[in-house]
Amino acid sequence: MNTKLKAKLAKYLIAIGDDELVLAHRDSEWCGHAPILEEDIAFANISLDEIGHARLWYEIAAELLGEDKATYPDQLAFFRSASQFHSIQMNSLPNGDWAFTMLRQFLFDSAEVPRLEGLVESSHKPLAEAAVKIRNEEIYHLRHTSAWVKRLGLGTEESNRRMQVALDELWSYAQQLFLPIDGEVDLVAAGLVPDSAEIKSAWLESVVPSLEQADLIIPDEGPPPRDRSVQTQHLAHLITEMQSVARLEPQGRW
Amino acid sequence: MRVIAITAEDIWTALEDVMDPEIPVVSLVELGVVRDVQVDGYKVTVHMTPTFSGCPALEVMGGDVVERIRQLGTEDVTVEWIYDPPWSSNWIKPAARDRMKTIGLAPPAIHNGDFQIVLLEPVECPHCTSMNTSLKNSFGTTPCRMIYVCVDCREPFEQFKPL
Ligand SMILES: [Zn+2]
C-alpha cells in the first residue's frame, strides 16, 4: 500500500472509530440512570465494547500512519478538539428518552454489521482480523437492541408513539452513515473497505422489516446528509466532558 | 552478564498461576487468552488475545503476565495482543469449566463455530443443576457474562458468554 492510500485508510478508520467512541460516551451516560438495573448494566457493557472497537480502529490507523500504537488512540480520543472529530452527527445527539437511545443504537449497530462483513474481506490483513473480532461481539448488541425495538414498538400506545417520534428524528440522521467517507472510492477500488452504497442496501434490507414488524412507519429520508466535517453543537459539550479528566493531567498514567 | 536459561516451557508452567482477574479460579492459560510464548535469549514475547475487545481487565491481564514472567529472572518481557484467530469460548479447558461452576458461573456451551446457535439452548443452573432457567440480560457484570435466573432454586447466576 502506498503512503497516500495508507493515509486515506487511516482517515476512514479514525472516522468509524470516532462513531464508536462518541456513541460509547452517550451510552455511558446511562450508567446509574437507566430505567432498570439490567439496562444500566447492558448499556455500560455496550459502551465498553464500543470503546474497545474504537481503540482497535485507532490502533490500526496508528500503524498505517507510523504512529505509536500504544499512545495514539489516547491522543485521538483525548487531545483533539470537537471540530477534528469525524463522527456522524446522530451519535452526538443527547440521549433523549429510552426509545430514542435504543433506536439509535439499533440503527447504528445494524449498519455496523454489513460494514464489518465488508471489512472482513479487506485486503489489509490487520483490518480484516479486527473486523472478525468486532463482528462477533456486535451480534450480542443487535440481539439486545432488536428485541427492545420490538418490545417498545409493540408495547403500549405510549411506547409506540415515543418510538415513532424517535424514528422520525433519527431516520434522516442515520443516512449520514452511508455518505462515502473522504477517499473511499480509492479504498473500495483497492479492496480495502466496502462500498457505502452496498452497506446502505444491506442496512435497509435488515432494518425496514424489523421496524415495520414493530408497527413503526418508515419516514422520508429528508435532505441529503451533511459531510462528516460538520458537527452538531452537542459534540463540543460531549468532547469537553469526555476529555476533562485526561486534560487535567496530560502526562498522567492511568 | 548473568546468563538465564528460561525455556518457553518454564514460562507456560509459571503462567498457570496467573488467574483471570475476574474469574479467580481460572488461569489465563486455561481460558485460552495466552496464545504463544517466544523466548529469544533473555527476551520473552507473549502473544495474548482478548476474550472481548472492550474488556476493561485486559491491561491487568497483560500486567499480571509480565509480572509473573519477571519472577523467573528476566526483565525483558513484552505482551503483544493479537486478534487472529479471534478468541473462542470453545478454548476454555474442561477442568476450568467445572471450576467456574463452583463460583456460580455457568460455563459457555461448546459450539461448532457459530455461537448464535447455542444461545438458544437451555443453560444449566450452577447452583442446583436445574435446566429450567431463563435469560434475564444478555449483558452482565463484565462484557463476557450474561445474567440468568433459575426457575427452580430462584437464584440468579451468570453465564460466561459463548463466543
Ligand atoms: Zn438453580
Side-chain angles (χ1 to χ4, degrees):
Chain A
M1 214 189 308
N2 67 41
T3 319
K4 257 190 175 162
L5 205 55
K6 278 187 183 173
K8 283 178 185 165
L9 183 56
K11 195 167 183 196
Y12 180 97
L13 293 170
I14 292 170
I16 63 172
D18 289 351
D19 284 348
E20 309 255 20
L21 184 64
V22 170
L23 187 57
H25 188 82
R26 284 296 183 218
D27 289 343
S28 77
E29 290 174 353
W30 281 108
C31 190
H33 302 279
I36 52 174
L37 179 61
E38 280 83 353
E39 284 311 308
D40 207 289
I41 292 169
F43 263 77
N45 271 294
I46 291 173
S47 173
L48 280 172
D49 284 344
E50 305 294 24
I51 291 169
H53 301 164
R55 184 173 59 190
L56 272 174
W57 298 139
Y58 291 161
E59 281 176 359
I60 300 169
E63 282 176 329
L64 288 163
L65 297 171
E67 299 281 350
D68 180 1
K69 196 169 98 169
T71 56
Y72 196 61
D74 277 1
Q75 285 296 322
L76 291 174
F78 299 123
F79 299 99
R80 278 183 300 164
S81 66
S83 63
Q84 292 171 295
F85 275 72
H86 283 86
S87 43
I88 55 163
Q89 296 189 345
M90 177 173 83
N91 293 5
S92 70
L93 299 174
N95 282 335
D97 62 11
W98 191 239
F100 187 90
T101 291
M102 199 50 86
L103 194 60
R104 171 171 57 187
Q105 190 72 39
F106 171 74
L107 295 175
F108 180 75
D109 287 341
S110 300
E112 288 248 90
V113 173
R115 188 186 302 279
L116 290 163
E117 292 294 347
L119 292 175
V120 163
E121 307 292 329
S122 174
S123 56
H124 186 51
K125 196 164 170 284
L127 175 48
E129 289 174 4
V132 173
K133 180 81 190 151
I134 296 176
R135 179 189 59 181
N136 291 346
E137 297 177 2
E138 284 294 338
I139 288 169
Y140 280 102
H141 293 194
L142 206 52
R143 195 164 165 255
H144 190 73
T145 52
S146 54
W148 265 100
V149 164
K150 216 177 210 175
R151 189 175 292 151
L152 292 171
L154 301 175
T156 63
E157 233 171 78
E158 175 71 1
S159 69
N160 176 274
R161 184 188 67 76
R162 285 177 182 246
M163 284 294 275
Q164 189 65 54
V165 169
L167 184 59
D168 291 345
E169 182 173 357
L170 286 166
W171 193 251
S172 60
Y173 276 107
Q175 306 306 319
Q176 200 189 5
L177 279 163
F178 316 110
L179 188 73
I181 296 172
D182 262 358
E184 188 181 300
V185 181
D186 299 332
L187 297 172
V188 172
L192 289 160
V193 305
D195 188 331
S196 285
E198 282 170 26
I199 300 175
K200 181 171 178 177
S201 56
W203 180 76
L204 285 170
E205 261 173 52
S206 77
V207 299
V208 169
S210 301
L211 294 169
E212 286 176 346
Q213 280 161 26
D215 215 2
L216 297 167
I217 300 155
I218 310 293
D220 290 334
E221 277 189 17
R226 310 294 292 273
D227 184 80
R228 280 176 177 260
S229 58
V230 185
Q231 292 296 352
T232 66
Q233 53 170 2
H234 307 293
L235 184 72
H237 294 278
L238 181 152
I239 296 296
T240 305
E241 175 164 320
M242 184 177 78
Q243 297 179 338
S244 59
V245 177
R247 284 182 185 245
L248 277 178
E249 196 66 69
Q251 304 300 325
R253 281 185 48 82
W254 305 94
Chain B
M1 195 181 112
R2 189 175 147 222
V3 179
I4 48 157
I6 308 179
T7 64
E9 215 181 325
D10 296 336
I11 292 170
W12 280 106
T13 307
L15 291 182
E16 282 171 18
D17 309 343
V18 183
M19 298 294 139
D20 180 287
E22 293 165 338
I23 314 168
V25 294
V26 174
S27 76
L28 295 180
V29 172
E30 291 175 306
L31 200 58
V33 302
V34 181
R35 303 308 303 157
D36 190 29
V37 173
Q38 290 165 5
V39 184
D40 178 10
Y42 58 90
K43 184 178 162 52
V44 178
T45 308
V46 181
H47 286 174
M48 294 176 67
T49 196
T51 51
F52 282 76
S53 53
C55 174
L58 296 181
E59 286 198 24
V60 176
M61 289 182 183
D64 288 352
V65 163
V66 169
E67 188 57 33
R68 182 67 189 90
I69 296 171
R70 283 188 176 159
Q71 288 170 5
L72 300 177
T74 177
E75 283 298 309
D76 193 352
V77 187
T78 318
V79 165
E80 268 178 38
W81 291 95
I82 58 166
Y83 298 95
D84 183 48
W87 182 82
S88 164
S89 54
N90 284 351
W91 296 346
I92 303 172
K93 297 278 185 294
R97 291 169 181 272
D98 290 340
R99 257 178 278 123
M100 280 184 185
K101 293 184 196 171
T102 66
I103 58 163
L105 182 62
I110 304 277
H111 57 81
N112 64 358
D114 181 358
F115 67 88
Q116 291 187 78
I117 293 165
V118 297
L119 295 178
L120 305 169
E121 290 174 3
V123 173
E124 185 189 280
C125 170
H127 305 295
C128 75
T129 73
S130 165
M131 297 300 280
N132 191 11
T133 60
S134 80
L135 177 69
K136 290 307 267 185
N137 194 351
S138 305
F139 297 91
T141 52
T142 71
C144 59
R145 300 184 192 193
M146 294 192 275
I147 302 175
Y148 284 77
V149 69
C150 175
V151 177
D152 287 331
C153 76
R154 304 263 164 184
E155 286 290 330
F157 65 91
E158 290 187 306
Q159 184 201 25
F160 199 111
K161 274 182 192 167
L163 191 67

